[in-house]
Amino acid sequence: MNDIKITDTAKEYKVLVDKIAKRIEEGVVKAVTEVKRSQLATYWDNGRYIVEFEQKGKEHAEYGLNLLKSLANDLTLRMGKGYSRPNLYNMRKFYQTYPNGYESVEKLTWSHICELIRIDDELEREFYSKQCIAEHWDVRTLKRQKKSALFLRLAASKDKKGILELANKGAIIEKPQDIIKDVYTLEFLNLNADNHYDESELERKICANLQEFLLELGKGFTFVKEQFPMNINNHIYKCDLVFYHRILKCFVLIDLKVNAVQYDDIGQMNMYMGYFAEEENEPDDNPPIGIVLARDKDELLVKYATYGMDTNLFVSKYELYLPNREELKQLVDKIMFDEEDKKNAFV
């Protein structure tokens, strides 16, 4: 009987320890969250004070360009670290960027915000802030996606309504087309387009930089296997890269081509998709998605080669360098303004 009591007491004690530990963890999370909120509120107010001081015009003109430098010196002497001239500049920019309140970004860190306020275009800035919150991007990820012009690359393939939805809602994933990019940027592979490399080296480089490749693919991808074997009539075929998409609940098959895509590459991917649908899919899996990822593609050839085929089969290009941001921005601006002109023409 005593043994039973001791055992019961031990169990109750373990429950007590678990309860206390859980409450401490909750308290730490809440404290960190409150510190972040307090920091943002302080920095936004500081930015407002600076702007309001500057807006008094001639009365305070004597401080001019030296205002932030003077503030940095005096505040550092009084308050310690955290009030350097660059940080004060960011506080002012924070307020100027969000003069009516910063509720849309209050879940982000100050480091995130310092990156976002460098984006002049409001639509682009809204997209990145939505993605940071929805996909829990760290600052390193945000910097990479900005550098690779993710918003402009996605926006360039949409109409005006699609661009506005992209900015206001972020990248929504509901159907296979939502996870496909026309062009994938693989600059992190450090491959020189002028030098010869084969498909094995391309695949090896991707697997060695899998985290960056998953980031380029987008949300929801989980790596399954490289060189996935398929036994068809005693002949082994291998798909270069196989992923599973958690949101769409389907396999995503990727075959790599170092040259322009050919019609037989498309037929081969169609066969792979058929195999996965019949042999690998579980009852609750959706039909597989196939991507032939090539160095280049002939749009007309792709159109004819995919005629009547599975609509989940896509052909995309990859590039080994960062895209020209200005060219992409001009294209997106043209989409926005051209559709506005069309609308006004009928008024």
Side-chain angles (χ1 to χ4, degrees):
M1 184 68 70
N2 289 337
D3 290 342
I4 295 176
K5 288 182 179 180
I6 292 172
T7 302
D8 290 343
T9 301
K11 288 180 179 178
E12 291 173 358
Y13 176 76
K14 185 178 183 304
V15 171
L16 174 63
V17 171
D18 290 342
K19 281 183 178 179
I20 293 174
K22 183 179 179 181
R23 185 63 187 88
I24 292 173
E25 290 172 353
E26 291 173 349
V28 169
V29 170
K30 184 176 181 181
V32 170
T33 301
E34 290 301 321
V35 167
K36 288 180 180 178
R37 288 178 178 172
S38 177
Q39 182 188 49
L40 292 187
T42 299
Y43 286 175
W44 188 85
D45 281 339
N46 289 345
R48 177 166 60 90
Y49 300 152
I50 294 170
V51 170
E52 289 174 347
F53 183 91
E54 291 174 324
Q55 287 176 343
K56 291 186 178 180
K58 293 182 179 180
E59 183 179 345
H60 292 164
E62 61 192 87
Y63 288 89
L65 295 177
N66 292 321
L67 174 61
L68 296 185
K69 181 179 179 180
S70 299
L71 281 174
N73 291 334
D74 292 336
L75 288 172
T76 299
L77 286 173
R78 181 180 296 189
M79 307 301 298
K81 294 181 179 180
Y83 294 94
S84 64
R85 182 162 53 174
N87 212 25
L88 288 171
Y89 173 85
N90 285 336
M91 293 177 201
R92 179 176 66 180
K93 185 71 173 176
F94 181 29
Y95 174 75
Q96 290 172 328
T97 304
Y98 302 97
N100 298 318
Y102 56 92
E103 289 80 7
S104 63
V105 294
E106 66 179 355
K107 294 181 180 179
L108 299 176
T109 68
W110 176 240
S111 296
H112 283 97
I113 289 171
C114 288
E115 289 297 321
L116 291 172
I117 59 179
R118 296 177 186 176
I119 303 173
D120 293 329
D121 184 84
E122 184 177 356
L123 293 179
E124 186 175 355
R125 186 170 59 249
E126 284 300 302
F127 165 79
Y128 286 116
S129 66
K130 294 288 192 306
Q131 291 300 106
C132 282
I133 295 170
E135 299 189 22
H136 307 289
W137 283 355
D138 57 19
V139 177
R140 176 176 171 271
T141 300
L142 171 58
K143 287 181 177 180
R144 194 270 165 179
Q145 298 292 39
K146 281 174 55 185
K147 190 175 180 181
S148 71
L150 177 63
F151 171 73
L152 296 174
R153 287 190 287 142
L154 296 177
S157 62
K158 299 180 180 294
D159 57 14
K160 181 179 179 180
K161 180 181 177 183
I163 293 173
L164 292 174
E165 287 182 347
L166 186 66
N168 294 328
K169 299 178 182 179
I172 305 300
I173 299 174
E174 297 176 337
K175 55 188 183 299
Q177 289 81 356
D178 294 335
I179 67 169
I180 303 299
K181 294 187 179 80
D182 292 333
V183 181
Y184 291 81
T185 300
L186 309 181
E187 91 291 345
F188 52 84
L189 300 182
N190 293 319
L191 284 170
N192 191 328
D194 296 330
N195 294 337
H196 176 74
Y197 60 92
D198 59 19
E199 289 165 7
S200 296
E201 183 177 4
L202 178 61
E203 180 183 324
R204 180 177 59 80
K205 285 276 192 176
I206 287 175
C207 290
N209 296 272
L210 190 57
Q211 184 175 355
E212 287 81 2
F213 188 63
L214 285 167
L215 185 60
E216 177 62 14
L217 289 177
K219 183 180 180 181
F221 284 85
T222 300
F223 182 62
V224 176
K225 188 178 180 61
E226 62 177 308
Q227 291 296 302
F228 193 104
M230 293 164 280
N231 190 334
I232 302 175
N233 281 341
N234 293 322
H235 185 87
I236 302 298
Y237 297 89
K238 293 183 178 180
C239 182
D240 292 334
L241 300 168
V242 175
F243 298 84
Y244 191 82
H245 201 276
R246 301 189 309 274
I247 300 173
L248 297 180
K249 297 187 181 302
C250 66
F251 286 103
V252 180
L253 320 177
I254 298 180
D255 225 22
L256 304 169
K257 303 298 173 185
V258 297
N259 298 309
V261 66
Q262 303 298 317
Y263 68 88
D264 51 340
D265 298 328
I266 295 171
Q268 180 176 261
M269 175 54 74
N270 196 52
M271 179 182 71
Y272 292 172
M273 294 167 66
Y275 176 89
F276 265 79
E278 294 293 329
E279 305 296 338
E280 298 295 336
N281 267 21
E282 296 294 335
D284 58 343
D285 283 336
N286 288 314
I289 296 170
I291 306 173
V292 181
L293 188 56
R295 188 73 183 87
D296 202 358
K297 69 174 181 177
D298 183 321
E299 297 288 352
L300 192 58
L301 181 147
V302 171
K303 177 181 179 181
Y304 291 153
T306 56
Y307 179 77
M309 279 191 178
D310 195 318
T311 55
N312 279 7
L313 196 162
F314 302 90
V315 178
S316 296
K317 297 194 300 183
Y318 68 86
E319 55 191 13
L320 300 174
Y321 49 85
L322 292 171
N324 187 307
R325 178 182 174 81
E326 286 307 311
E327 290 180 3
L328 282 171
K329 190 172 189 321
Q330 288 174 13
L331 176 59
V332 172
D333 288 344
K334 187 175 186 300
I335 294 171
M336 297 291 287
F337 290 128
D338 281 358
E339 294 204 14
E340 191 66 35
D341 292 341
K342 290 177 184 177
K343 179 181 177 181
N344 294 334
F346 292 97
V347 176

